Amino acid sequence: ESRLVSTQSTGSYKMFEPPVTPPPDEPIEMPTPNIFTIAQIHELHRNLKEVAPSGYISLDMLMEMFEPPSFLPEIWQNVSYQQLEEMFSRHLCETKYINWRTVLLSCILPVPLPTQAQLISTAKQYRTIDKDNTGKIDMAGYAQGDLWFGTDDLMTPDGTAKFDRLGHLKTTLFSLLCDENYKIEYTDFLLLFSSDPEPGNGAVKALAVMTGDTVVWPQYIETPDPPRSLNKRAVTVLLVQ
């Protein structure tokens, strides 16, 4: 509230505005040894886009970008040249080049994997937003969709705001996958997240995205066996293939 202050020397009054309390600083995501921060993902995206604007990069050039020293998480500082080669060779296509967006998607883990119902719900929302049935939506339309990420608890017990990683991740995914017109093919986007540690579940999720209806694995078809050892790295490969 404004305050009325008397000036004794002149007998007049002046109106003073009280000092404005500055808003609290935006929470910052603290680096961890084995998970990419949102800032690190954006930095890697900028670097890849600069050296390979076509979206495809040679294996050797990609490996150079991940060699230490770098701005990447601590765990990457101890990865050998041979390990990098083995890891990125999985992404090679017939042209002997790598779609670096698939590598970026591997770096965003951990990401909650959606259920079949959540994929169907999101697909229906985007198809409703896409009134012209183009198969694409812009950032405004993308933001209207309720992804399956949910929300983290953004407050600490003492009332301090925490970094909203999932909220930032939703925006980051759009920037990684949008085309030159800043639109995203939402069906392809949802198919990327149809992957599942159980191969049979991944198949029915993908069918559900395409059809918009719940799909049940036929009882007369044997469900594929999942890999015996399915760690985070394996889930990464499943996610981007």
Side-chain angles (χ1 to χ4, degrees):
E1 297 180 356
S2 301
R3 295 181 179 180
L4 193 63
V5 178
S6 172
T7 306
Q8 295 182 355
S9 58
T10 61
S12 60
Y13 291 88
K14 292 185 178 180
M15 191 76 72
F16 289 92
E17 292 290 340
V20 178
T21 303
D25 294 334
E26 183 76 15
I28 298 175
E29 185 178 20
M30 301 304 295
T32 58
N34 57 351
I35 296 177
F36 279 80
T37 65
I38 298 298
Q40 287 170 331
I41 293 172
H42 279 290
E43 180 69 17
L44 183 58
H45 182 217
R46 282 193 294 269
N47 293 344
L48 288 167
K49 200 170 184 179
E50 181 178 346
V51 301
S54 68
Y56 289 87
I57 189 171
S58 68
L59 176 60
D60 290 339
M61 186 175 293
L62 180 62
M63 289 170 58
E64 287 181 9
M65 300 187 69
F66 277 80
E67 286 183 335
S70 68
F71 59 89
L72 304 178
E74 182 181 329
I75 192 173
W76 288 88
Q77 309 301 325
N78 300 317
V79 177
S80 68
Y81 184 91
Q82 289 74 20
Q83 288 173 318
L84 284 174
E85 184 175 26
E86 179 184 356
M87 191 184 312
F88 294 142
S89 293
R90 301 171 182 172
H91 298 280
L92 279 172
C93 57
E94 294 179 357
T95 61
K96 302 302 180 182
Y97 282 81
I98 296 172
N99 182 343
W100 49 254
R101 287 184 175 83
T102 64
V103 177
L104 279 174
L105 285 176
S106 301
C107 295
I108 67 174
L109 291 178
V111 176
L113 292 179
T115 64
Q116 184 181 163
Q118 289 170 327
L119 284 168
I120 293 172
S121 175
T122 305
K124 288 182 177 178
Q125 289 180 60
Y126 284 147
R127 285 169 184 147
T128 301
I129 294 169
D130 178 24
K131 299 185 183 301
D132 295 329
N133 198 28
T134 64
K136 297 183 177 183
I137 50 176
D138 58 15
M139 180 61 187
Y142 172 79
Q144 293 178 45
D146 294 326
L147 295 188
W148 52 91
F149 293 0
T151 57
D152 285 329
D153 184 0
L154 300 181
M155 299 296 291
T156 61
D158 63 1
T160 305
K162 295 195 298 186
F163 182 80
D164 182 11
R165 178 178 171 85
L166 293 180
H168 284 81
L169 192 56
K170 180 178 179 179
T171 305
T172 299
L173 282 169
F174 182 90
S175 67
L176 298 185
L177 299 172
C178 68
D179 59 21
E180 63 277 5
N181 297 316
Y182 297 100
K183 292 188 176 183
I184 192 171
E185 295 187 6
Y186 52 85
T187 299
D188 290 347
F189 167 75
L190 294 175
L191 286 174
L192 283 172
F193 288 95
S194 298
S195 297
D196 193 281
E198 297 285 347
N201 289 343
V204 296
K205 282 182 179 181
L207 286 172
V209 169
M210 299 301 296
T211 63
D213 296 316
T214 302
V215 178
V216 180
W217 188 269
Q219 294 183 356
Y220 57 85
I221 300 179
E222 184 178 356
T223 303
D225 291 330
R228 292 182 180 179
S229 176
L230 189 64
N231 55 20
K232 183 182 292 186
R233 181 69 62 196
V235 175
T236 302
V237 176
L238 286 170
L239 178 63
V240 299
Q241 290 183 339

